[in-house]
Each structure stands twice: as structure tokens, then as C-alpha cells.
């Protein structure tokens, strides 16, 4: 498989699944060309609803559709859809409506549009709700499986997708399971927990570290809620050093979730790599380098952490 | 002619509202008493539902968007057989299914979590659309508070409803009722953030709008008939109501938006709701053992 944006894989998968499942409907807020549901809307016009630039109403309508038997995918940029947090909290979460919330354009990797379009607090927000799993697929293969899973999962769910292309990282025989992570590269000195955009940079960083004699275990943490506690504790127990890497604010994301769990069960040192402060306009590569999410930045943080 | 049966049920529900709020020691009497005639008219003569099968897919749905008035809904639901009336006094108590604001997952028959204001109309739109998509005969009734429509999401929904689903699935199975009691938590609506001209606003968004007295069961019934007969568009009903309706000292007083009566006040309120003079009250209670039991229960609270 070639590199592909998870939002593109999402649009393609939904089109396929929509052909055999009448329950699937899409809701958009004037961004269907960006969330990649436009093709679904063209193919199934009676099952696609564009509410205009009104995300709260879109989310609420999604809840009502779910309560009458549909499986709505409610789509916008991560910052705009999760920005209507109170509507998600009550109309979706507390109501326990079977709504699939899709946040595309996650992270600073959207680049030039700048901070107002960057979803970098969405994981922290959704993670605080008791009944919404948070899933960020790593590549095309995993995205397809996660979308299929989302249709079958009874209850609300949050999918975090990227604008930028993602390199394939999962093996061909990979099968997504909720709350299960995947070791992409075994190692014994440090655990690199990556999710979404910077995951392939973790693999590159592992190669740089290997040249320095540091063996990094790289794990795809697609499920941010629930965490794969078994794999987390197993790997952390083995390496004694955990580094989280995500295109999200350092507060409340994967790093926060991992630190919460480890501090209670296995209090070891953790380093959280992510976005500090607000994002800004710039080229995505430059932004990743600035926030230490590029291979060199990740490797540097690991060396410092291990004092090597 | 007002429907005597509906009027009688509404009176009993008012008594239950006072009773449960007093037991809870908190809650929202004003808005519960303003909306109760609308809810009673819906549940006793209009809605198609089966209290024993609250998940019946083709049931009509009520979304009480002004969720703080849920004591009124609980009173009506108990009367309709969703649960026993004895459960009403668990309102707001630890472990109760009767949450302070509606919880769909706790109590079968509640269609959506509401009470975080401004959200119920969007949910109702989605329900009406979902029902249309599968050609279900069911209707959706959404009840908004007047202060509530100051929320921006309401106007997103207002803008979309007359257009959503067209041309094949217009939402003519949706009827929205505004409980226009003119008072919100802090003060009179006109003093906080006036809604007027409210009829013109909804008309401008493309809704047919009816204006009624929200305490007149005859007018409520006729408006619901008109809504049901309307094709191609949802209907909006502005129901002029009185906050605290039926209890003299609660009527039109912002203080009674969110305050529970003390037991003595509750007993007086119940007497007024039943239309019995102070002098005749003792004799009356000898003829009405059900009310007598409620009054005794409230009097016992006073002693606690």
C-alpha cells in the first residue's frame, strides 16, 4: 500500500460500506470535500446531509438519527466538531446515541492554515467523556478496519483522522481490535508509543537510535481510549522508559492517558512529546521539527531521557 | 370545549409536581407548571405510545428540550404507566432513575438527555428525519423553553428544519412547541434578552407558526391537529403560558423558577390547584384519601 491520508481511506471505506449497509448516513458542515464524504454524498444523496456551517446542529441531528436506527458519521475538522463539546457531552455521550464522530485535519500537520484550524485538544476533550472510545488509525489498512469496526460498535465513538498522507506501518495480516495496540518494532531500552501522524517518525527515530546502540520498541497506539494496558505495562516493565509521541497538545492526549495509568500501576518516568502552546502557520515538516516530532527530534528527546 | 378528562389529569399532575419537588427539596416548579397542560394534552389524547414497550420503533416521541421541567414529564409518565407513582418521590435522590434533568439511559420512555439548553431541537430534527427515512408513521414533538431559544444552536436548527430532508422527506412529522411563560432564571425574559418578535422570527426562518393559550386544552388540541394536517414542513406553536400556573404565589414570579416549596407552602399550593377554599380544606380531605395521603406525607416532612 502507498501512503494515504486517513481521511481519504475513510471516504473510500465509507463508500464501500454504504453500498451494503443502508443504515450508514453522513452529516457534514460544509467541509465534505475535505472530510472526504463528498463521494458518499454523490453516490447516496438521500443518505448524506450537509447542514451548512453549523456543527452543533449537525451533531444533534446525528444523535436523533442514531436514536431512530441510523448509523450517522458526523464529520468536520477535529477542532470544529469537538469544539462543540457541550453538544457532544449531552446529545451524544449522556444520551448514549450511536453517533460516530469523525474529526479530520487533526494536529499541527495541517500546516499553513494555522492554529484556528488545528485540532490539538480534541483527544483531551473526548477522553474525559465516560463512554466514547478514541481511535486514531495509523495508516490506510488500519483506517479501513477501524471504520468497519465503528459501524459494528454499538455506541458513540470518536475517530481522529489526518489531512496528510500516512506511510503504511501495519502488516498485511493486521486486524484492529478495540483496546489492542500493535508492536511495530520490538526493542528493550525504551518504549516509543506513537499515534497518528508522527508514528512513522517514531520508526525513523528508532533507526537513528539503533545506530547509537539504543534499542527502541515502537508501538502503534491507535486506541487512545481504552489504552492497551497489558501491552503498555509489559513494554514499560521491560524497557523502564516510556516516551509518548503525538500530534496533539501535551496535555490530556495519549501522553496524559499513559502517564495517568503508569503513575498508578507502575510509576516509572515518562516523557510526553507533543505540541507545546498554540500551533501556527508553516510547512508541516518544519512544524514537526519545531515541536520535536520529527525523527531527529524524537531521537534527541530519547537520548536525553536515557542520558546517552 | 376543554377536554374534562385532560384537565382533570393535568390537575393531578400539578399536585404530583408539587409533591415531588417538595420531597426533593429542589427543582423547578415554575416551568413545570407552565408546561404541564401541553404535556398532558400530548400524552392523553395525542401520542401513540405503549408504556410497556418504550422502545417500540414506531412510537411518537416527545423531546422535552427544556429539561429542567422534567418533573412535569415524570408526573405525566407515571400517570401514563411508565412507572409507579410511588417512584415520583425519589426525584433527585441518590440512585433514582428520576434524575434532576432527563437521563435517557436511566429511565425508559425518556427520549434524549436534555437540560443543557438549546440541544433538543436538533435531536428532534434528527429523529423526525430518521423516522421519515424509513417511512415510519410516528411523529416527533419538541418542547422548547422561552429562555432556551436564546441559545445559538436553536437557530441553527431553526434554519435547517424547513429544508432538511426535502424534497423526499420533509419534516412534516415534527411539531415544535414553545412554552412561552415569559420568565427565565434571572428575571423576566423581556428584561434579560427579549425574544420579540418571536412569531416573526420563526416565520422568517420558514416555519408556519400558530399562537395559542398553552393552558387551554381545546386550543392545544386544535393546534396539534393543524400541525398534523400540515404537509411539507414542520410546524411551530407559540404557546403563551403562565409560569407557576395554578399556584397563586408562584404565578409570574421569577423567584419560583428554581426553588422547591416548603411543606406548608406545598400543601397550600395543592389546595389551590384543587380549587378548595381554606375553610373547606379539612372537610375536602375527608373525601379525597389520595390527596390526604400526599398532604400527610408532606406534613410529616415538615416535622423532620
Amino acid at each position: 500500500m502507498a501512503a494515504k491520508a486517513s481521511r481519504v481511506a475513510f471516504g473510500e471505506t465509507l463508500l464501500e460500506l454504504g453500498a451494503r449497509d443502508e443504515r450508514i448516513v453522513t452529516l457534514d458542515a460544509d467541509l465534505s470535500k475535505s472530510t472526504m464524504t463528498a463521494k458518499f454524498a454523490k453516490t447516496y444523496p438521500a443518505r448524506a446531509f450537509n447542514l451548512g456551517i453549523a456543527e452543533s446542529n449537525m451533531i444533534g441531528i446525528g444523535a436523533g438519527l442514531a436514536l431512530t436506527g441510523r448509523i450517522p458519521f458526523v464529520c468536520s475538522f477535529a477542532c470544529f466538531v469537538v469544539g462543540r463539546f457541550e453538544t457532544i457531552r449531552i446529545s451524544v455521550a449522556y444520551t448514549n446515541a450511536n453517533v460516530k464522530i469523525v474529526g479530520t485535519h487533526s494536529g499541527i500537520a495541517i500546516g499553513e492554515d494555522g492554529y484556528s484550524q488545528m485540532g490539538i485538544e480534541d483527544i483531551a476533550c473526548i477522553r474525559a467523556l465516560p463512554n466514547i472510545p478514541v481511535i486514531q488509525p495509523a495508516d490506510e489498512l488500519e483506517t479501513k478496519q477501524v471504520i468497519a469496526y465503528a459501524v459494528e460498535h454499538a455506541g458513540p465513538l470518536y475517530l481522529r483522522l489526518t489531512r496528510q498522507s500516512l506511510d503504511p506501518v501495519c502488516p498485511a495480516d493486521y486486524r484492529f481490535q478495540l483496546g489492542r495496540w500493535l508492536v511495530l518494532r520490538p526493542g528493550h531500552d525504551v518504549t516509543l508509543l506513537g499515534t497518528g501522524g508522527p508514528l512513522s517518525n517514531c520508526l525513523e527515530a528508532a533507526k537513528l537510535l539503533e545506530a547509537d546502540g539504543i534499542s527502541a520498541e515502537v508501538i502503534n497506539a491507535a486506541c487512545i481510549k481504552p489504552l492497551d494496558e497489558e501491552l503498555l505495562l509489559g513494554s514499560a516493565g521491560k524497557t523502564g522508559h516510556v516516551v509518548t509521541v503525538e500530534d496533539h497538545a501535551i496535555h490530556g492526549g495519549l501522553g496524559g492517558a499513559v502517564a495517568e495509568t503508569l503513575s498508578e500501576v507502575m510509576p516509572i518516568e515518562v516523557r510526553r512529546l507533543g505540541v507545546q502552546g498554540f500551533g501556527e502557520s508553516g510547512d508541516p515538516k518544519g512544524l514537526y521539527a519545531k515541536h520535536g516530532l520529527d525523527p531527529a527530534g524524537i531521537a534527541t528527546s530519547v537520548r536525553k531521557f536515557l542520558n546517552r | 370545549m376543554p377536554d374534562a378528562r385532560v384537565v382533570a389529569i393535568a390537575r393531578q399532575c400539578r399536585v404530583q409536581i408539587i409533591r415531588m419537588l417538595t420531597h426533593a427539596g429542589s427543582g423547578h416548579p415554575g416551568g413545570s407548571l407552565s408546561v404541564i397542560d401541553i404535556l398532558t394534552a400530548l400524552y392523553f389524547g395525542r401520542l401513540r405510545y405503549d408504556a410497556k414497550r418504550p422502545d417500540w420503533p414506531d412510537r411518537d416521541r416527545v423531546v422535552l428540550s427544556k429539561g429542567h421541567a422534567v418533573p412535569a414529564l415524570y408526573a405525566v409518565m407515571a400517570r401514563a404507566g411508565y412507572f409507579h407513582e410511588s417512584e415520583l418521590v425519589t426525584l433527585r435522590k441518590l440512585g433514582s432513575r428520576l434524575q434532576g434533568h432527563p437521563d435517557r439511559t436511566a429511565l425508559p420512555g425518556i427520549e434524549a438527555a436534555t437540560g443543557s439548553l438549546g440541544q433538543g431541537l436538533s435531536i428532534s430534527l434528527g429523529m423526525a428525519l430518521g423516522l421519515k427515512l424509513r417511512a415510519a408513521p410516528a411523529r416527533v414533538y419538541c418542547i422548547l423553553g422561552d429562555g432556551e431559544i436564546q441559545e445559538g444552536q436553536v437557530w441553527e436548527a431553526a434554519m435547517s428544519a424547513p429544508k432538511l430532508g426535502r424534497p423526499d422527506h420533509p419534516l412534516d412529522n415534527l411539531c415544535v412547541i414553545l412554552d412561552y411563560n415569559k420568565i427565565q432564571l434571572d428575571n423576566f425574559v423581556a428584561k434579560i434578552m427579549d425574544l420579540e418578535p418571536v412569531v416573526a422570527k420563526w416565520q422568517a426562518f420558514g416555519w408556519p407558526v400558530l399562537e395559542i393559550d398553552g393552558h387551554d386544552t381545546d386550543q392545544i388540541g386544535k393546534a396539534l391537529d393543524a400541525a398534523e394536517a400540515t404537509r411539507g414542513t414542520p410546524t411551530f406553536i407559540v404557546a403563551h403560558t403562565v409560569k407557576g400556573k395554578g399556584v397563586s404565589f408562584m404565578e409570574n414570579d421569577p423567584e419560583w423558577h428554581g426553588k422547591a416549596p416548603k411543606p406548608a407552602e406545598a400543601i397550600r399550593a395543592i389546595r389551590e390547584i384543587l380549587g378548595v377554599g381554606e375553610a373547606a380544606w379539612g372537610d375536602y380531605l375527608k373525601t379525597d384519601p389520595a390527596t390526604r395521603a400526599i398532604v400527610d406525607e408532606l406534613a410529616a416532612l415538615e416535622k423532620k
Side-chain angles (χ1 to χ4, degrees):
Chain A
M1 278 182 178
K4 190 178 271 185
S6 50
R7 63 174 173 143
V8 174
F10 159 65
E12 291 170 356
T13 309
L14 209 59
L15 200 61
E16 285 170 31
L17 296 175
R20 52 175 192 269
D21 196 334
E22 283 281 322
R23 298 172 300 168
I24 296 174
V25 297
T26 60
L27 288 88
D28 271 278
D30 196 40
L31 287 172
S32 69
K33 289 181 200 162
S34 304
T35 64
M36 294 295 162
T37 57
K39 217 174 267 178
F40 183 98
K42 211 173 167 190
T43 312
Y44 312 107
R47 287 195 269 146
F49 305 95
N50 198 324
L51 284 313
I53 307 164
E55 292 82 8
S56 300
N57 189 40
M58 169 180 74
I59 295 162
I61 291 173
L65 282 164
L67 295 172
T68 45
R70 300 279 143 177
I71 301 176
F73 283 78
V74 166
C75 313
S76 187
F77 287 10
C79 57
F80 302 143
V81 66
V82 179
R84 277 61 186 176
F85 179 74
E86 178 58 14
T87 306
I88 294 174
R89 189 175 82 94
I90 298 299
S91 293
V92 176
Y94 193 39
T95 293
N96 198 28
N98 188 23
V99 176
K100 315 306 170 186
I101 302 165
V102 180
T104 66
H105 293 65
S106 60
I108 56 174
I110 67 158
E112 290 77 2
D113 272 338
Y115 173 70
S116 73
Q117 319 294 301
M118 293 170 170
I120 59 172
E121 305 88 0
D122 53 319
I123 296 174
C125 293
I126 300 291
R127 205 164 68 74
L129 297 168
N131 61 340
I132 305 191
V134 176
I135 305 170
Q136 173 160 244
D139 62 9
E140 179 183 0
L141 177 72
E142 188 169 45
T143 303
K144 289 186 168 195
Q145 294 188 13
V146 166
I147 305 306
Y149 173 80
V151 171
E152 297 308 319
H153 177 83
L157 196 137
Y158 178 59
L159 301 171
R160 187 175 203 252
L161 305 180
T162 62
R163 172 177 182 269
Q164 79 273 24
S165 288
L166 299 173
D167 291 325
V169 292
C170 296
D173 62 349
Y174 171 69
R175 290 292 167 264
F176 171 81
Q177 280 181 282
L178 187 70
R180 286 274 172 272
W181 291 348
L182 175 71
V183 177
L184 297 176
R185 176 193 170 111
H188 49 78
D189 292 327
V190 61
T191 302
L192 277 179
L193 292 173
T195 185
L199 183 57
S200 57
N201 290 350
C202 292
L203 288 167
E204 291 301 312
K207 285 183 200 161
L208 298 176
L209 292 166
E210 188 176 31
D212 300 338
I214 297 171
S215 165
E217 178 149 291
V218 181
I219 292 175
N220 169 20
C223 251
I224 296 156
K225 186 177 182 176
L227 301 175
D228 185 341
E229 284 197 28
E230 196 183 325
L231 188 51
L232 171 63
L233 296 176
S235 183
K238 177 174 67 179
T239 66
H241 298 86
V242 173
V243 178
T244 60
V245 186
E246 60 191 318
D247 188 351
H248 182 275
I250 56 161
H251 304 288
L254 173 68
V258 165
E260 285 167 16
T261 298
L262 287 179
S263 67
E264 286 188 348
V265 186
M266 187 187 286
I268 61 169
E269 276 195 86
V270 175
R271 289 289 178 277
R272 293 168 296 137
L273 305 188
V275 182
Q276 310 239 19
F278 293 104
E280 64 189 298
S281 288
D283 68 289
K285 272 201 159 171
L287 281 164
Y288 268 21
K290 179 171 178 178
H291 288 270
L293 297 173
D294 61 334
I298 296 167
T300 303
S301 292
V302 170
R303 284 190 208 102
K304 217 172 135 189
F305 184 25
L306 302 183
N307 285 320
R308 285 161 72 173
Chain B
M1 275 288 288
D3 183 332
R5 176 173 159 268
V6 172
V7 170
I9 294 172
R11 193 182 300 127
Q12 288 157 357
C13 287
R14 278 193 164 85
V15 171
Q16 294 294 357
I17 289 167
I18 297 296
R19 174 192 180 206
M20 70 178 101
L21 287 172
T22 311
H23 278 269
S26 66
H28 301 82
S32 299
L33 292 170
S34 69
V35 80
I36 188 64
D37 295 307
I38 294 162
L39 282 172
T40 310
L42 282 170
Y43 276 84
F44 301 96
R46 184 64 47 171
L47 295 182
R48 296 164 65 251
Y49 62 90
D50 179 352
K52 299 289 165 243
R53 268 195 308 158
D55 58 352
W56 176 37
D58 284 349
R59 70 191 180 279
D60 290 337
R61 287 149 171 86
V62 170
V63 175
L64 183 65
S65 193
K66 48 168 290 184
H68 55 281
V70 74
L73 184 56
Y74 293 150
V76 167
M77 286 174 70
R79 174 75 190 208
Y82 283 90
F83 54 88
H84 196 268
E85 281 188 345
S86 60
E87 195 171 344
L88 289 173
V89 295
T90 69
L91 171 72
R92 290 174 168 252
K93 298 254 177 11
L94 194 60
S96 174
R97 304 192 295 172
L98 277 52
Q99 290 290 293
H101 291 76
D103 177 358
R104 173 181 169 270
T105 61
L107 187 64
I110 295 291
E111 299 289 356
T114 54
S116 173
L117 297 175
Q119 300 187 27
L121 183 55
S122 300
I123 297 173
S124 302
L125 262 55
M127 287 178 174
L129 180 60
L131 293 167
K132 279 276 176 172
L133 288 175
R134 61 173 172 81
R139 293 183 60 76
V140 180
Y141 295 90
C142 176
I143 301 175
L144 299 172
D146 47 9
E148 173 175 27
I149 72 170
Q150 292 158 348
E151 287 278 5
Q153 189 183 335
V154 172
W155 298 98
E156 295 182 5
M159 187 185 292
S160 64
K163 302 175 186 77
L164 192 62
R166 291 178 76 132
D168 296 334
H169 307 106
L171 305 189
D172 49 22
N173 56 346
L174 172 66
C175 177
V176 181
I177 304 165
L178 179 70
D179 177 15
Y180 197 5
N181 61 32
K182 324 287 188 298
I183 292 173
Q184 57 191 112
L185 189 149
D186 269 340
N187 208 330
F188 290 91
V189 175
K191 287 188 180 169
I192 299 293
M193 184 53 64
D194 198 0
L195 310 174
E196 291 301 332
V198 73
V199 170
K201 283 193 176 91
W202 289 87
Q203 283 172 336
F205 277 74
W207 296 66
V209 181
L210 305 169
E211 252 183 304
I212 60 166
D213 174 346
H215 299 301
D216 182 325
T217 54
D218 191 37
Q219 288 190 36
I220 298 169
K222 282 187 178 137
L224 296 176
D225 287 342
E228 213 161 331
T230 300
R231 292 285 165 269
T233 172
T235 298
F236 195 86
I237 300 172
V238 174
H240 293 281
T241 57
V242 174
K243 195 138 181 168
K245 173 77 175 175
V247 179
S248 64
F249 57 93
M250 290 184 179
E251 285 188 2
N252 285 318
D253 183 355
E255 283 305 306
W256 286 99
H257 167 87
K259 180 177 80 169
K262 301 268 180 276
E265 292 170 323
I267 293 167
R268 183 183 155 198
I270 289 170
R271 183 175 59 71
E272 289 188 11
I273 289 164
L274 296 175
V276 182
E278 211 171 340
W281 185 233
D283 286 340
Y284 171 82
L285 285 178
K286 288 176 194 155
T287 67
D288 183 348
T291 303
R292 175 72 199 244
I294 290 171
V295 166
D296 287 349
E297 208 180 65
L298 292 170
L301 280 182
E302 183 89 282
K303 287 177 195 125
K304 273 187 189 170

